[in-house]
Amino acid sequence: MSAAGYDLNTVSFREPTPKRHVAQIPLYVTVPEILTSRSLGFHNRPIGFTDAVKASVYSSFDSVAIDPDSRKSDNYWGGIFNFEFSHNGKLLVAACEGKQVLIYDAGNQKKIETIETAHLNCVNCIKFLDERTFATGSDDALIKLWDIRKLDKCMKTLHGHSSWVKNIEWSEEEHVMVTSAFDGTVYAWNLNDRTENNMLFEKVFLLSGLMRMKLTPDGKKMLITTTAGFMIIIHNLNLLTLALDLRSFRPNLYRLMQTSEQCFPVATTYNYLFDPKRTRNRIEFIDDFPNESEVISSLQIHPHGWAAVSRNLNSEENEEWTAVHDIQDRDAKDYEDSFMYTEDCVDEYTFDTPSNDESADRVHQRPTDLWLGYTLLEDYNALETTAGTTRQEMGIVSSGLIGSSAPYNAYFQNHPDERNKVILNLKRMTHYIKEKNVGKGFIKEVAISPDGRVICSPYDRGIRLLAFNQSCQEMSECVLDEPKELHPIVEMNDYHRDVVVSCKFNPMHYQLVSGCLGSQINWYQPVL
């Protein structure tokens, strides 16, 4: 995902013509009915009261302010990649492509501070750790800690990642900061202890193709998205033992085993990580999407920890979808049939004594493995050409994943049922919607309202608010047998001069903000 800069001479600053579309929302309780009920002494809220109020409020959202500084060519900050409100909702911090960090007063929507060179490259993510301290992550692979009361210099610069930092999370239970980057690593930082030059940190997870990482609000689950079209849930999260528990687990190999319906012994030995009875760092994959997803580029968690909202691209990068997956704990019975057996793992190291000729033949089959073709450099330089054709000798070498050594055999002798067993994934998708495929190469960050009823999604040069059903009810009241399309409540088209890539709800008030690639920041609130 590139973060290419912009030339001021090529950026269009023309003002768009806004278009706002509001869906027809059925209101089961009207204001006169509420007033009549109250006058008769019935103070209890009637059924549907809260849904009607929420639907009315969210359908009334409209733009109320545009940062005037974003109109000035000498204050061009590039794309607005991320937002974060303070815990009390009074401050907004924006991460900019042009290395800046902007701080706003959310009450009057005025910019109060600019950190001109917060990082050496694009600022990607921001996270408030408490009311006065926030952390920023950048393409310069650094994480910086800032005190809102003294912004002329950062409190601390943290070194550890080797590529673009894309997520910063805070685990209240373990009191550690958790970060992820495009180097495939997840680090846990103990901000209370430090070495001579830096904070103590530990690499707790490693995955090639890691895109995004989020923690649930209670810190009990970690969600990870990938460039291979699947998500990982780590249930019963224990950061202190995560690195030890998953020290040699290879999620991509296990995913390959699922899709190819072949088994690799080195992967099946980790079936115990998927056991629903496991009480610490239990693994589960999510792979049901409305499309052939490839890159799951953005991720947000429902404020109650009920669901994960993600946005993905297909392999051709010509389709974008937003999907909602239920991530709550499931009954152990749901997992009883979620596996398959293959016959591809039987090899010459089979410890069962063959009872007939067919079994004897199977004993001497080559083990299922991944193989790599190679040519020695000296052979490549001395290729022989005869009659216009090139003869090239190839060799093969085992990938080392076969797991035919004594430790694997010992494991399968003690766990014979695991040898050919491949765990399958439960269906967890509840809602979905297709998005506009614009702004190629840039990640679009979705947002969820504090009450969990509404999703805000970047939509070309505007945004749209999406609900789980046409009545704007909570997700818990929209239980479905099959996945259903999200219901657009409001579409605010052409509210920006360029493609919108970020949005965020205020955690305390009915307030929303969005940012585009053209530096523009828009504020929204109900206009009744």
Side-chain angles (χ1 to χ4, degrees):
M1 295 294 170
S2 63
Y6 282 84
D7 186 344
L8 289 178
N9 296 323
T10 64
V11 176
S12 172
F13 282 87
R14 67 179 180 83
E15 293 299 326
T17 303
K19 299 176 183 178
R20 185 170 179 271
H21 304 281
V22 182
Q24 293 294 325
I25 302 176
L27 301 179
Y28 301 108
V29 181
T30 64
V31 173
E33 289 174 338
I34 295 171
L35 295 177
T36 301
S37 178
R38 184 183 300 173
S39 67
L40 295 175
F42 300 108
H43 299 292
N44 293 332
R45 293 178 176 178
I47 296 175
F49 171 84
T50 302
D51 295 338
V53 170
K54 296 286 186 178
S56 177
V57 168
Y58 285 116
S59 63
S60 301
F61 263 72
D62 203 353
S63 178
V64 294
I66 300 177
D67 182 9
D69 288 343
S70 67
R71 302 171 186 266
K72 303 174 184 178
S73 60
D74 57 343
N75 285 332
Y76 188 73
W77 306 304
I80 308 298
F81 285 169
N82 194 236
F83 292 110
E84 179 76 357
F85 281 95
S86 59
H87 296 168
N88 58 16
K90 294 182 178 180
L91 295 175
L92 173 74
V93 183
C96 301
E97 180 184 10
K99 310 175 188 177
Q100 302 91 347
V101 168
L102 313 177
I103 295 95
Y104 291 83
D105 183 332
N108 58 21
Q109 297 88 51
K110 303 293 185 183
K111 183 162 62 69
I112 57 179
E113 190 67 60
T114 300
I115 307 176
E116 286 294 346
T117 310
H119 282 269
L120 302 176
N121 210 326
C122 307
V123 185
N124 295 319
C125 53
I126 299 171
K127 184 70 176 181
F128 269 93
L129 309 182
D130 54 41
E131 292 296 345
R132 64 178 180 84
T133 307
F134 66 90
T136 57
S138 168
D139 280 2
D140 61 11
L142 301 177
I143 301 162
K144 292 189 177 184
L145 302 180
W146 304 85
D147 190 324
I148 201 70
R149 302 168 299 181
K150 187 177 174 60
L151 294 170
D152 57 330
K153 185 178 180 181
C154 72
M155 297 166 55
K156 193 72 179 177
T157 300
L158 307 182
H159 302 263
H161 288 292
S162 59
S163 187
W164 302 354
V165 179
K166 287 294 184 179
N167 275 109
I168 301 174
E169 294 288 290
W170 176 252
S171 175
E172 188 64 38
E173 182 173 341
E174 274 133 341
H175 210 68
V176 298
M177 184 175 70
V178 187
T179 62
S180 70
F182 278 0
D183 56 10
T185 59
V186 177
Y187 284 137
W189 305 78
N190 188 339
L191 302 185
N192 294 323
D193 296 326
R194 62 183 67 194
T195 62
E196 181 178 354
N197 298 315
N198 213 330
M199 300 288 182
L200 288 174
F201 65 90
E202 182 181 4
K203 184 187 294 184
V204 296
F205 193 75
L206 176 64
L207 171 66
S208 175
L210 184 150
M211 278 295 296
R212 291 303 174 98
M213 176 277 305
K214 289 285 185 180
L215 302 181
T216 53
D218 60 5
K220 297 297 185 181
K221 292 181 176 66
M222 178 184 288
L223 277 292
I224 295 172
T225 69
T226 71
T227 58
F230 72 102
M231 291 195 293
I232 302 172
I233 311 178
I234 303 178
H235 297 276
N236 307 317
L237 179 65
N238 187 326
L239 288 170
L240 297 178
T241 64
L242 184 60
L244 177 64
D245 292 344
L246 306 182
R247 61 188 178 276
S248 55
F249 178 56
R250 303 178 185 181
N252 287 326
L253 180 62
Y254 206 98
R255 179 61 183 153
L256 176 62
M257 190 168 64
Q258 289 180 333
T259 56
S260 66
E261 298 186 359
Q262 300 181 48
C263 69
F264 313 118
V266 70
T268 56
T269 56
Y270 288 97
N271 284 346
Y272 70 91
L273 292 175
F274 295 81
D275 188 343
K277 298 183 180 65
R278 183 175 173 81
T279 59
R280 188 180 74 190
N281 295 325
R282 176 171 68 89
I283 295 292
E284 183 175 352
F285 290 173
I286 294 177
D287 64 355
D288 56 326
F289 288 88
N291 61 323
E292 293 293 329
S293 66
E294 185 80 12
V295 178
I296 308 172
S297 58
S298 69
L299 175 68
Q300 293 294 332
I301 306 298
H302 191 281
H304 304 324
W306 294 345
V309 181
S310 62
R311 189 154 173 163
N312 73 76
L313 284 164
N314 63 351
S315 57
E316 290 79 21
E317 297 189 16
N318 58 7
E319 284 187 3
E320 291 187 44
W321 292 76
T322 291
V324 181
H325 290 87
D326 180 3
I327 61 172
Q328 299 177 89
D329 292 339
R330 299 274 284 267
D331 193 291
K333 293 181 179 179
D334 294 342
Y335 298 90
E336 289 180 352
D337 299 322
S338 60
F339 64 88
M340 66 177 176
Y341 282 107
T342 70
E343 297 182 355
D344 294 321
C345 277
V346 180
D347 56 46
E348 67 265 36
Y349 297 96
T350 301
F351 42 80
D352 294 329
T353 302
S355 57
N356 51 50
D357 293 339
E358 180 182 358
S359 298
D361 291 338
R362 291 169 61 88
V363 164
H364 297 289
Q365 291 177 356
R366 178 187 294 276
T368 298
D369 196 6
L370 304 181
W371 295 82
L372 175 68
Y374 72 90
T375 303
L376 295 177
L377 181 61
E378 56 267 28
D379 294 337
Y380 180 82
N381 292 330
L383 293 177
E384 297 179 9
T385 303
T386 305
T389 61
T390 300
R391 180 173 60 85
Q392 185 171 343
E393 297 294 335
M394 294 293 292
I396 57 173
V397 61
S398 169
S399 66
L401 299 178
I402 183 59
S404 57
S405 61
Y408 291 104
N409 289 330
Y411 176 85
F412 289 127
Q413 282 183 315
N414 294 325
H415 306 85
D417 291 341
E418 300 298 319
R419 184 173 184 82
N420 296 70
K421 185 178 181 180
V422 179
I423 305 299
L424 301 180
N425 309 319
L426 299 183
K427 300 297 183 182
R428 284 186 170 270
M429 186 172 66
T430 63
H431 295 81
Y432 60 89
I433 196 166
K434 190 172 184 179
E435 305 281 9
K436 287 188 175 181
N437 182 228
V438 294
K440 187 175 181 179
F442 289 93
I443 295 171
K444 289 86 175 181
E445 302 284 0
V446 296
I448 311 176
S449 62
D451 56 17
R453 291 174 179 262
V454 171
I455 298 168
C456 181
S457 176
Y459 195 61
D460 199 352
R461 295 192 303 174
I463 59 173
R464 59 178 174 177
L465 302 185
L466 309 168
F468 298 110
N469 64 12
Q470 61 178 357
S471 302
C472 199
Q473 291 181 303
E474 291 206 44
M475 185 179 177
S476 58
E477 300 179 36
C478 305
V479 180
L480 305 169
D481 294 330
E482 296 291 335
K484 184 179 180 181
E485 189 169 359
L486 287 164
H487 184 76
I489 298 176
V490 182
E491 290 185 5
M492 290 173 269
N493 301 320
D494 298 321
Y495 274 51
H496 282 266
R497 67 168 65 99
D498 210 329
V499 175
V500 175
V501 292
S502 58
C503 53
K504 193 76 173 182
F505 282 95
N506 190 310
M508 302 299 293
H509 310 289
Y510 287 107
Q511 188 178 53
L512 172 64
V513 65
S514 62
C516 74
L517 294 175
S519 294
Q520 186 177 331
I521 297 175
N522 275 19
W523 297 77
Y524 311 82
Q525 66 187 39
V527 179
L528 302 173

